[in-house]
Amino acid sequence: MSNSSGQRIPVNRFGLTEVYSPSPQKPNVDVVFVHGLNGDPHNTWTSDHSKVFWPAQTLPPLLEEERARILVYGYDADVTSFTDGASKDKIHNHAEHLVAELVANRRIRKVLERPIVWVAHSLGGLVVKRALIHSSEIRGVKTEHLRSIFVSTYAILFLGTPHHGSDIAQWGNRLEWICSVMLPKKVVDTQPQLVDALKTNNETLQNIDRQFIQIMSYFNIYFFHEGKPTNLKGTLKFIVDETSASPTVQDVERAVIQADHSHMCKFEDENAPGFDLVAEGIQRYAEKAPAKIRRVWEREKKERLTAKQGDIEERQAELTSDSVKPTPPSHTSSFEGSILGRQPKALPSAESQANFDERYTLEDITNEKEMA
């Protein structure tokens, strides 16, 4: 798909939609957009006035040399998706689904190692953070393909995402203000318990920030904050102010977009305030990502190979140990014993041998060495 005209781009409400690809050329990088609370994979990024859907209509011409494929992700982003809930972490569910969908989309195209640049608005940044945390923690051999999202991520652009600080009370207020702006007035007025839940039951959101700090140095990060306040019932407020949206962090870029919280991600055209900043960041990251992520994958493969070799040596040692264990007294007859002449050595248990055969063979490691 290479549509950068003014016509409406068909976008799936849920899941991934590819809205641009530099066909017939092979893309070098994936740019993935994730909306926030009560958002939509099309409307969140579409100007209210010009109806320009900038990820597919304004951005592609600027990424011709970088050969970027552009995708948008949609999910059920009502307020209950950002509360702890009675029994489960719903943000984690969204994050798991995002990782699984993106892996599937890339694996069937044989491009698991293609670099990724993320663009997230508001609380969508928390979903991206949680997805990267989830992907980074995967170590199992049978699920290591899901780790590819973490390994392939080069950069993240956060547009108006609240990054939790030490002031928990202020964090709750920011979430309440986001509800007031992003949710229909009917919901805010008739279902105040949902807003209260987002404001007070935000332990999950705080944990996401604490966990993300441990891995953020792996990525290039660009913070954007709103430059214009929003009118909340007659009072002008910055929904996510500069200190929260663009905290001062070493080696992290920061910039202001001269728009309010809900419009800082809707660019009418290439002259809209903030468009150049965001587009240049995406373009620069898309240009630099392939060389860097190629090196990251080389290191990842070496580490996996070393881990597999260590696992095989450990399993071989266990099997050898099993083979020299004393054999329990035989229940065979004296006649059978005289024919056998000696007690057979104990073989490794069927379970041990099956597990070993299922995971690795020496041939697997030899092949991986030859491919490396």
Side-chain angles (χ1 to χ4, degrees):
M1 181 189 310
S2 354
N3 193 335
S4 58
S5 65
Q7 68 186 56
R8 179 181 173 90
I9 308 297
V11 173
N12 298 325
R13 176 64 184 85
F14 300 115
L16 284 168
T17 303
E18 179 183 297
V19 297
Y20 176 80
S21 183
S23 178
Q25 297 172 303
K26 185 177 181 179
N28 284 334
V29 60
D30 283 344
V31 180
V32 185
F33 287 77
V34 181
H35 64 77
L37 179 67
N38 203 49
D40 177 274
H42 183 274
N43 296 339
T44 291
W45 315 104
T46 300
S47 167
D48 295 337
H49 303 294
S50 65
K51 304 304 179 184
V52 168
F53 178 45
W54 68 271
Q57 296 171 229
T58 313
L59 185 60
L62 303 178
L63 300 177
E64 287 183 359
E65 293 185 14
E66 291 72 26
R67 288 162 41 193
R69 183 175 70 131
I70 301 174
L71 306 99
V72 293
Y73 180 70
Y75 59 102
D76 184 8
D78 61 25
V79 67
T80 59
S81 299
F82 291 91
T83 61
D84 288 339
S87 61
K88 54 186 178 181
D89 176 356
K90 294 185 178 181
I91 290 184
H92 180 66
N93 291 344
H94 287 315
E96 278 190 324
H97 192 257
L98 171 55
V99 168
E101 278 226 19
L102 190 53
V103 167
N105 179 282
R106 288 155 57 88
R107 193 175 190 282
I108 61 177
R109 291 166 174 80
K110 311 298 183 184
V111 292
L112 275 184
E113 298 178 20
R114 181 186 291 165
I116 301 170
V117 174
W118 299 89
V119 183
H121 176 241
S122 193
L123 297 186
L126 301 180
V127 175
V128 172
K129 286 182 180 182
R130 192 67 188 87
L132 291 171
I133 293 167
H134 166 62
S135 179
S136 72
E137 293 173 344
I138 292 173
R139 297 290 180 180
V141 176
K142 296 178 181 178
T143 55
E144 64 182 11
H145 57 289
L146 298 175
R147 182 173 163 81
S148 65
I149 301 304
F150 167 71
V151 180
S152 295
T153 292
Y154 179 78
I156 315 160
L157 293 86
F158 292 105
L159 280 63
T161 294
H163 304 285
H164 174 55
S166 58
D167 190 343
I168 296 178
Q170 187 63 24
W171 170 256
N173 288 335
R174 289 193 185 101
L175 296 175
E176 182 179 28
W177 297 340
I178 290 173
C179 281
S180 299
V181 173
M182 306 308 295
L183 291 175
K185 186 176 185 300
K186 179 180 179 181
V187 173
V188 176
D189 291 344
T190 63
Q191 302 184 56
Q193 72 277 9
L194 295 182
V195 179
D196 290 341
L198 182 60
K199 179 180 177 181
T200 59
N201 297 338
N202 53 67
E203 181 179 354
T204 294
L205 310 187
Q206 297 169 36
N207 288 338
I208 288 173
D209 268 350
R210 283 195 290 267
Q211 290 176 289
F212 185 72
I213 288 173
Q214 306 302 315
I215 62 172
M216 67 183 295
S217 62
Y218 288 94
F219 319 120
N220 287 268
I221 293 177
Y222 208 149
F223 291 144
F224 293 90
H225 58 276
E226 60 213 59
K228 292 186 177 181
T230 299
N231 189 330
L232 285 181
K233 300 178 180 179
T235 303
L236 294 177
K237 288 184 179 293
F238 287 100
I239 305 304
V240 184
D241 62 19
E242 180 179 353
T243 58
S244 179
S246 298
T248 302
V249 179
Q250 184 177 1
D251 210 23
V252 170
E253 298 180 82
R254 305 165 68 249
V256 60
I257 295 177
Q258 291 299 330
D260 63 27
H261 185 75
S262 62
H263 292 92
M264 66 185 302
C265 56
K266 304 175 187 289
F267 300 118
E268 293 187 14
D269 52 40
E270 62 272 14
N271 297 315
F275 176 76
D276 281 351
L277 287 168
V278 175
E280 185 279 330
I282 296 173
Q283 183 188 69
R284 175 161 41 88
Y285 293 149
E287 176 187 345
K288 294 183 177 181
K292 172 65 180 298
I293 296 303
R294 191 178 304 116
R295 294 193 297 271
V296 173
W297 269 107
E298 289 173 357
R299 183 169 63 249
E300 176 77 9
K301 289 175 182 178
K302 289 179 181 178
E303 291 176 355
R304 290 183 184 183
L305 182 59
T306 300
K308 288 179 180 179
Q309 288 176 318
D311 197 8
I312 283 182
E313 291 172 0
E314 180 180 344
R315 297 298 297 134
Q316 286 179 323
E318 291 177 4
L319 293 173
T320 301
S321 175
D322 287 344
S323 69
V324 297
K325 286 181 180 178
T327 304
S330 173
H331 296 291
T332 59
S333 67
S334 57
F335 174 74
E336 291 172 321
S338 65
I339 292 179
L340 294 174
R342 55 187 172 88
Q343 295 288 351
K345 291 184 177 180
L347 294 173
S349 68
E351 181 180 359
S352 295
Q353 187 65 49
N355 288 339
F356 177 73
D357 291 342
E358 181 181 2
R359 294 192 66 177
Y360 310 112
T361 66
L362 289 175
E363 183 180 358
D364 291 334
I365 293 303
T366 302
N367 290 338
E368 289 199 32
K369 285 182 175 180
E370 292 174 353
M371 295 173 62

